[in-house]
Amino acid sequence: MQNVLHLDPEARDLFLEARAAAERPLSPLAERDRQIFVLRLERWFQNLVDGLRPVYGRRPDFRTFVVGLCREMAEAYAQRPEALKELDLERDLTPDWFQRESMLGYVFYVDRFAGTLRGVRDRLDYLTELGATYLHLMSTLEAREGPNDGGYAIRDYRQIEPALGDRDDLQETCTVLREKGVSVCIDLVLNHCADQHDWARRALAGEQRYQDYFYMYEDRGAPDAYERTLPEIFPDMAPGSFTYQPEIDRWVWTTFHEYQWDLNWSNPQVFLEIVRSMLDLANLGVEVFRLDAVAFLWKRVGTNCQNQPEVHDLLQGLRACSKIATPAVAHKAEAIVSPDDLIHYFGTGRRYGKVSNIAYHNSLMVQFWSALASRDTRLMTHTLREFPRTPTSIAWGTYVRGHDDIGWAITDQDASAVGLDAHAHRAFLSDFYSGRFPGSHARGRVFGFNPRTQDRRISGTTASLAGLEKALETGDERLVALSIERILLGHALILGFGGIPLLYMGDELGMRNDYGYEHEPHELGDNRWMHRPRMDWRAAELRDREGTVEERLFHGVRRMVRARSRTPHLHASYATDVLDIGHPHVFAYARPHPLGTMVALLNFSEQVQTVNADVLTSYGIEQPYDQIQQTFVGVEGGVLTLTPYQRYWLI
Ligand code: GLC
């Protein structure tokens, strides 16, 4: 019944062998399920092989590897619960499920938000009140004991962090949420595992099989050669990219902390191990994997060892595995890289649309903070206009803040195109957000100062960076109001840009910096902890008390969430056209849609601004209606007026 003609001859041959191997574990399956699996295998097989061939194709064991992989996928499908198989079918039919205008992500550390996985279920009312349909549960998998980089040093990809619960709890949580239409996302840390992972322990004990899971060197030759062009990720906390292990007299590649050992993806066993874990977690009900630190998966001497083409091949391979065995699942790439590199995570050229479903729009986030500090949208407009078109099948993950620092990913070309010196502008932003710049409203701190490049990244919560912390201290209601408007402006941007907005826990209540990390031995020295506070449930209660900061923010955000789900123009399959309206303080873009175009206008200054209404009429908007406020907007004398930090979504 299969039509294998679309496969290239080599892949066809391999497919027939893989299918034969895959059909065996499928024997306990109903005939209909077996047929469905084989259809999917055939449908995605070329994608799979095209991803794996450039990376592993020259190995003599390539065929065995691919056949073994297909057998594993069949095994995982045979284990897949019925409810998830139904979800698979549903999503075969609605592949745009994650692109919809009703999607809203909410991101939090499970322990800091709700104590445990079970606790998350108890907080469901809060989450649905906000409109969340997608929860990124951070630090869910078992991390190493002691320092673990906020859970990003995994000791066991199959186990849950014991303090949060166990596998049954994750499964139960996913089931309860799924029944309410809420999808669970967890991290899959791909670049490294903990030094306490069984693979690392066995490597340390001298087992060659496991030493091959990592990059290990007998002397400094290779490490020195690589380090000539390797940037430092944590220059102050964890300098260098290699760690000496006296037990085995080897240098181990450790891009991040010395306890995070980089996995050697040139070894197909590593690919297999990760797929096994990924499918296993998907069978518990995880619907989105956030693929952590993917830019670093492939190393090449003479480069910065980021964004190498093999990374995109590997991601395409992983993506195909999910499509075959657990098709309800989507992949989100965490590649915090510059605009030119970012686009490849959706797939370009022969990989177009095949690499990941979702990727963080790091540039949008950086440009938001940059324009907010300078009150000038020209760099933002230019940079975002230069972005290449993305495939229609993907979604940006848009965000104002996350759990990491902000790095000023602004290129020299983009800066000079608008008459800025990139280095000076980045320095200004660091000064501004660390509060050093005269008149700055921000209360952030410098993270990861690199004395060699003078690079300074920034930590701090949205509220503290937007001025709320300082304003509340002064007690000046005008300043409080302005900072609330800034926070709402950021949310109007991420909710109305197109993509999946990822709200970061506490931002909807204006939670300020938590300086408690200074007293925690594992956190001291990593000031990212100041923007990872514990959920303030007392503040959450204030959301219904009129006039409180919490009420103004929570309801301001929720109003836009609701407006968003009434606005089909925001389905992620439609493109965003950033407009150059020649205004230095207003950011404008259009979302063309068969129903008519939506034009967004965002005022990035604390002054009233006017915009020529031609921008609207050119899209056929004669009587602008604002989706956020649900009112018509007056145009007087051919101009539209925006109050300080005002935002419009006009149709
Ligand atoms: C990602 C995480 C970050 C972590 C790093 C290393 O960037 O978001 O928190 O430090 O990966 O795993």
Side-chain angles (χ1 to χ4, degrees), residues 231-236 238 240-241 255-256 296 306 447-448 457:
E232 287 191 296
I233 307 304
F234 296 141
D236 44 3
S241 298
T255 298
F256 294 86
F296 301 88
Q306 291 182 45
F447 174 84
R457 285 131 69 187

Side-chain angles (χ1 to χ4, degrees), residues 18-29 33-34 36-38 41 48 66-80 85 275 279 283 321 324-326:
R19 182 176 67 185
E23 278 184 314
R24 251 163 280 140
L26 291 173
S27 47
L29 270 188
D33 282 340
R34 192 195 63 81
I36 291 174
F37 178 84
V38 172
L41 181 66
L48 177 71
V66 174
V67 171
L69 177 64
C70 292
R71 196 179 304 118
E72 299 255 355
M73 289 194 281
E75 195 64 61
Y77 187 66
Q79 304 294 327
R80 192 150 171 84
K85 281 195 218 143
V275 168
L279 301 182
N283 279 351
C321 291
I324 292 166
T326 59

Side-chain angles (χ1 to χ4, degrees), residues 31-215:
E31 178 58 14
R32 192 188 70 124
D33 282 340
R34 192 195 63 81
Q35 286 174 359
I36 291 174
F37 178 84
V38 172
L39 272 174
R40 291 196 182 117
L41 181 66
E42 187 221 316
R43 165 65 183 86
W44 300 105
F45 196 75
Q46 188 76 53
N47 279 26
L48 177 71
V49 170
D50 287 348
L52 298 179
R53 208 155 31 195
V55 183
Y56 305 123
R58 263 185 257 143
R59 300 175 60 101
D61 58 356
F62 180 62
R63 287 181 78 89
T64 329
F65 161 63
V66 174
V67 171
L69 177 64
C70 292
R71 196 179 304 118
E72 299 255 355
M73 289 194 281
E75 195 64 61
Y77 187 66
Q79 304 294 327
R80 192 150 171 84
E82 283 307 317
L84 294 174
K85 281 195 218 143
E86 262 173 49
L87 189 68
D88 290 339
L89 281 178
E90 192 184 314
R91 290 196 175 155
D92 281 343
L93 299 173
T94 54
D96 69 333
W97 65 276
F98 60 91
Q99 297 184 296
R100 297 192 171 161
E101 59 274 20
S102 53
M103 279 302 272
L104 177 74
Y106 191 76
V107 181
F108 55 86
Y109 284 95
V110 174
D111 60 340
R112 299 194 158 219
F113 177 71
T116 59
L117 283 168
R118 187 173 287 273
V120 175
R121 283 177 252 158
D122 300 336
R123 296 296 184 182
L124 203 52
D125 287 347
Y126 179 80
L127 296 166
T128 45
E129 184 183 336
L130 195 57
T133 58
Y134 161 122
L135 304 182
H136 174 189
L137 310 180
M138 275 194 284
S139 286
T140 305
L141 301 184
E142 185 177 346
R144 83 191 281 283
E145 268 167 35
N148 57 31
D149 191 22
Y152 287 87
I154 302 294
R155 185 159 70 175
D156 190 334
Y157 289 92
R158 307 283 191 103
Q159 297 303 329
I160 306 306
E161 179 62 29
L164 305 180
D166 56 20
R167 288 170 58 91
D168 290 343
D169 286 317
L170 179 61
Q171 183 158 34
E172 182 62 18
T173 303
C174 291
T175 306
V176 169
L177 294 175
R178 186 170 65 246
E179 283 162 3
K180 300 258 183 215
V182 179
S183 303
V184 166
C185 165
I186 68 167
D187 286 275
L188 201 58
V189 184
L190 296 187
N191 179 65
H192 44 263
C193 66
D195 58 350
Q196 293 172 5
H197 194 291
D198 193 46
W199 304 331
R201 290 204 162 129
R202 295 173 79 165
L204 272 188
E207 282 186 54
Q208 188 60 48
R209 175 187 156 96
Y210 291 100
Q211 293 193 352
D212 291 344
Y213 278 34
F214 302 98
Y215 293 98

Side-chain angles (χ1 to χ4, degrees), residues 214-268:
F214 302 98
Y215 293 98
M216 300 197 158
Y217 303 98
E218 286 172 17
D219 56 45
R220 284 288 314 178
D224 285 343
Y226 281 111
E227 276 188 347
R228 249 169 251 138
T229 50
L230 271 179
E232 287 191 296
I233 307 304
F234 296 141
D236 44 3
M237 292 194 285
S241 298
F242 299 86
T243 303
Y244 182 67
Q245 295 296 335
E247 298 92 324
I248 46 173
D249 188 22
R250 297 270 194 289
W251 290 87
V252 177
W253 199 310
T254 54
T255 298
F256 294 86
H257 294 92
E258 55 184 41
Y259 52 76
Q260 289 164 306
W261 290 18
D262 286 40
L263 289 164
N264 180 353
W265 283 82
S266 71
N267 177 354

Side-chain angles (χ1 to χ4, degrees), residues 408-437:
W408 304 117
I410 293 169
T411 65
D412 293 351
Q413 295 94 307
D414 285 337
S416 61
V418 295
L420 289 174
D421 175 274
H423 184 79
H425 185 62
R426 289 192 296 258
F428 156 69
L429 293 172
S430 298
D431 284 344
F432 187 91
Y433 284 109
S434 58
R436 279 175 48 178
F437 191 80

